[in-house]
Amino acid sequence: IHFYKSLLNEDIMDGQEFKVRGRQMVDYIIEYLEDIETRRVTPAIEPGYLSELIPASAPHDPEPWEDVMKDVDEKIMVGMTHWQHPRFHAYFPAGNSFPSILADMLSGAIGCVGFSWAAAPSCTELETIMLDWLGKMVGLPPQFLSQSPGSRGGGVIQASASECVLDCLLAARAQAIRALKVKMGDQVEDTVLLSKLMAYCSKEAHSCVEKAAMIGFVKLRILEPDDHSVLRGARLKEAMMEDIENGLYPFFVSTTLGTTGCCAFDRLDEIGPVCKEMGAWLHVDASYAGSAFICPEFRPLLNGVEYAQSFNMNPNKWMLVNFDCSAMWVRDSRLIVDAFNVDPMYLKHRHQGEIPDYRHWHIPLGRRFRSLKLWFVMRLYGVEGLQQHIRTQVKLAEQFADLVAKDSRFEMPVPPTMGLVCFRLKASNAVNETLNKNINDTGKIHITPSMIREKYILRFAVCSRFTVLSDITLAWQEVLDQVQSITMVKQVDTEKME
């Protein structure tokens, strides 16, 4: 044993070296983030580049720290898309802040696997409290908060919004099968009942809804939204009535507040009463826009949430919390626990039932101490600081939209919403696709496309906490430069044809 300990002490990083390397790493992180604007946003590499730079097998002998960090710079960073770059405008934000990074460091040091209260008491209890804090901040009804009088609800941190949607669909499925067994008899096989279940979402919903339905072995009806990309109650009810006439059982509706394509908001105030009438579970996916509800001026978009059985949002998108941290609330936690409760002897403890064991709230058993990130960020920024961050990014998006509106060659098929601007040249889809490709090929800015009513559009999202007005101006100039490039190429082609 002593020989083994001695060998480890020689071969691994001890506390003193960790102190030195830790300070070096903090310096590296600060330098990386403070100088990130000097880098290309996207890398100039091709798939498979790294296999030519890194050996095919792990080293037999330990390697020096300096060699590892040298390779980070020369082999890893050259192949990164820099999500924290002030001119990264693709997808949606990936939260990042120094308090969150420090909390993740502490979580890694604690190294707990918080599947139950007994396994990690403070991990469990802080998560419960933080989800109540956050639920109050965004304006959720008291039924979703664990500490509200008479509440059966509560919140939990998941790895992603995709997990939230899947878990809620599976909980709704379990509830629906129980209800159908009461109606049709216990002798009916679950597979027969599964074939009768129908879920619903908008065409603008995230692809994770379709994936959840595939995993859950249930039918999914994808509905056309209105001309503003919004799912309406009348359309949902019409589809449900058709399915009921065909012997199907509507059981789950996934709505979106802030769709990925164009940040549209489904009408919960219309959809909610339909779900209540039909006995369907209403889930609300507010992955991106949910963070904005900490600002009172955006909360009217949340109207109708009181009808929901479940709600999710991603603090790791817009609340300066690093990935992964997806918050999910349920109105009745018993329904989610009933869907996932498997309780072997080796996981039991004497306080079961007194406090949540979050292993029953999702598919994985193991879970990290993710609530530390929320705690650090919410305490060190305060609600006011987080509100200011969101308002600043919304304002920057509006300033970009103003630049688009002043150029008659462009159009915005939908109004700028939150921190997202959807725009396009008044030209064919092919021309806009070329424009998107050329913009990204330069590596100066990064944007992603989408489709709105069969029109190819360019999505410009304000993502980085480092973005300022000069970055917005530079991004617009890059768009104009690429438009000019396309125009020149067309002129040359026309001359050749003549």
Side-chain angles (χ1 to χ4, degrees):
I1 293 175
H2 292 299
F3 170 76
Y4 179 66
K5 286 183 176 179
S6 174
L7 183 64
L8 284 179
N9 287 335
E10 288 178 7
D11 288 348
I12 65 170
M13 187 181 293
D14 62 17
Q16 284 304 115
E17 186 179 359
F18 178 75
K19 186 183 294 185
V20 173
R21 302 308 185 190
R23 287 170 177 163
Q24 290 175 352
M25 181 59 80
V26 168
D27 288 343
Y28 183 89
I29 291 170
I30 293 171
E31 183 179 349
Y32 165 68
L33 291 174
E34 290 186 346
D35 295 340
I36 195 170
E37 65 179 339
T38 63
R39 300 173 182 263
R40 281 180 58 107
V41 184
T42 53
I45 49 95
E46 295 295 331
Y49 90 98
L50 196 56
S51 61
E52 299 177 3
L53 302 178
I54 289 182
S57 301
H60 181 269
D61 299 316
E63 296 184 345
W65 168 267
E66 291 78 8
D67 288 359
V68 175
M69 290 306 296
K70 184 172 182 288
D71 282 350
V72 168
D73 262 337
E74 297 179 357
K75 300 175 182 179
I76 302 301
M77 286 302 185
V78 298
M80 280 304 303
T81 295
H82 298 287
W83 284 64
Q84 306 310 318
H85 198 293
R87 293 185 289 280
F88 178 95
H89 301 294
Y91 312 110
F92 278 133
N96 179 284
S97 66
F98 291 129
S100 181
I101 293 169
L102 290 172
D104 249 354
M105 184 186 296
L106 179 57
S107 174
I110 293 171
C112 68
V113 184
F115 50 77
S116 70
W117 182 90
S122 60
C123 176
T124 297
E125 296 198 19
L126 185 64
E127 185 163 336
T128 301
I129 296 168
M130 287 304 98
L131 269 292
D132 272 9
W133 277 20
L134 185 56
K136 291 174 184 176
M137 286 167 61
V138 301
L140 289 182
Q143 296 92 329
F144 287 97
L145 309 179
S146 64
Q147 295 177 337
S148 296
S151 172
R152 294 173 176 170
V156 61
I157 299 176
Q158 309 279 23
S160 70
S162 298
E163 284 191 24
C164 297
V165 172
L166 173 61
D167 290 349
C168 291
L169 180 140
L170 294 177
R173 187 187 73 172
Q175 181 187 34
I177 287 176
R178 287 193 298 270
L180 285 176
K181 278 185 175 292
V182 170
K183 183 178 180 180
M184 302 176 68
D186 289 339
Q187 74 279 1
V188 181
E189 291 288 338
D190 286 3
T191 51
V192 174
L193 300 178
L194 277 175
S195 68
K196 295 183 175 297
L197 298 184
M198 179 67 81
Y200 303 84
C201 72
S202 166
K203 184 179 178 181
E204 295 293 325
H206 193 273
S207 60
C208 70
V209 182
E210 191 170 356
K211 186 179 290 187
M214 290 168 59
I215 295 171
F217 286 99
V218 295
K219 297 179 177 66
L220 176 68
R221 186 162 178 177
I222 300 175
L223 304 175
E224 283 290 335
D226 68 11
D227 291 341
H228 303 287
S229 302
V230 174
L231 182 61
R232 307 297 297 266
R235 179 69 191 96
L236 174 65
K237 185 169 184 178
E238 178 186 16
M240 285 183 165
M241 295 303 294
E242 289 176 2
D243 291 333
I244 290 171
E245 289 178 8
N246 291 323
L248 299 174
Y249 185 85
F251 83 103
F252 181 79
V253 178
S254 185
T255 56
T256 311
L257 297 182
T259 59
T260 302
C262 62
C263 204
F265 290 76
D266 293 337
R267 288 291 298 271
L268 301 186
D269 57 335
E270 296 178 2
I271 294 169
V274 175
C275 290
K276 184 177 180 180
E277 178 186 350
M278 300 296 182
W281 180 301
L282 173 59
H283 178 72
V284 179
D285 176 10
S287 300
Y288 165 63
S291 295
F293 299 141
I294 69 172
C295 301
E297 62 267 30
F298 296 123
R299 279 193 205 139
L301 294 166
L302 194 58
N303 289 345
V305 73
E306 64 273 11
Y307 292 100
Q309 291 293 329
S310 52
F311 178 94
N312 74 268
M313 58 168 283
N314 286 359
N316 60 245
K317 277 192 170 71
W318 214 6
M319 267 186 61
L320 302 175
V321 177
N322 291 59
F323 185 83
D324 56 342
C325 185
S326 188
M328 183 186 93
W329 292 265
V330 289
R331 178 182 293 272
D332 189 343
S333 61
R334 297 173 304 176
L335 298 178
I336 201 112
V337 169
D338 287 347
F340 298 111
N341 190 353
V342 177
D343 205 21
M345 180 64 69
Y346 52 80
L347 295 178
K348 292 180 182 291
H349 59 90
R350 63 190 180 91
H351 294 291
Q352 286 190 189
E354 299 175 28
I355 200 160
D357 279 343
Y358 282 124
R359 72 180 189 272
H360 299 316
W361 290 52
H362 49 51
I363 296 170
L365 174 63
R367 52 202 332 275
R368 300 188 303 111
F369 202 164
R370 290 178 287 216
S371 57
L372 280 174
K373 294 185 286 191
L374 279 175
W375 195 41
F376 274 45
V377 168
M378 287 195 281
R379 291 186 66 185
L380 292 170
Y381 279 92
V383 176
E384 185 178 10
L386 294 170
Q387 289 173 332
Q388 183 58 42
H389 168 67
I390 288 170
R391 287 169 178 150
T392 297
Q393 296 213 319
V394 171
K395 180 63 177 175
L396 288 169
E398 290 171 350
Q399 290 169 321
F400 183 84
D402 288 343
L403 295 171
V404 177
K406 290 175 183 176
D407 193 318
S408 61
R409 295 173 296 175
F410 290 87
E411 62 180 344
M412 289 180 283
V414 294
T417 307
M418 302 292 183
L420 180 67
V421 181
C422 297
F423 70 105
R424 70 191 304 274
L425 276 170
K426 294 176 181 176
S428 68
N429 284 350
V431 169
N432 280 280
E433 188 171 0
T434 299
L435 176 60
N436 182 80
K437 177 183 181 300
N438 291 356
I439 289 171
N440 288 324
D441 284 349
T442 68
K444 294 179 182 179
I445 67 173
H446 186 35
I447 60 175
T448 46
S450 186
M451 294 287 286
I452 298 178
R453 298 186 292 276
E454 308 306 321
K455 287 186 176 182
Y456 188 100
I457 59 105
L458 285 66
R459 295 173 70 262
F460 181 93
V462 180
C463 295
S464 171
R465 64 187 173 94
F466 301 112
T467 302
V468 295
L469 182 55
S470 60
D471 297 304
I472 299 299
T473 305
L474 187 150
W476 178 241
Q477 186 58 51
E478 179 60 22
V479 172
L480 296 181
D481 289 347
Q482 295 308 318
V483 170
Q484 180 64 24
S485 175
I486 292 173
T487 303
M488 291 175 64
V489 169
K490 278 193 170 183
Q491 288 175 347
V492 171
D493 289 344
T494 301
E495 290 172 1
K496 286 181 179 178
M497 290 176 64
E498 293 175 351

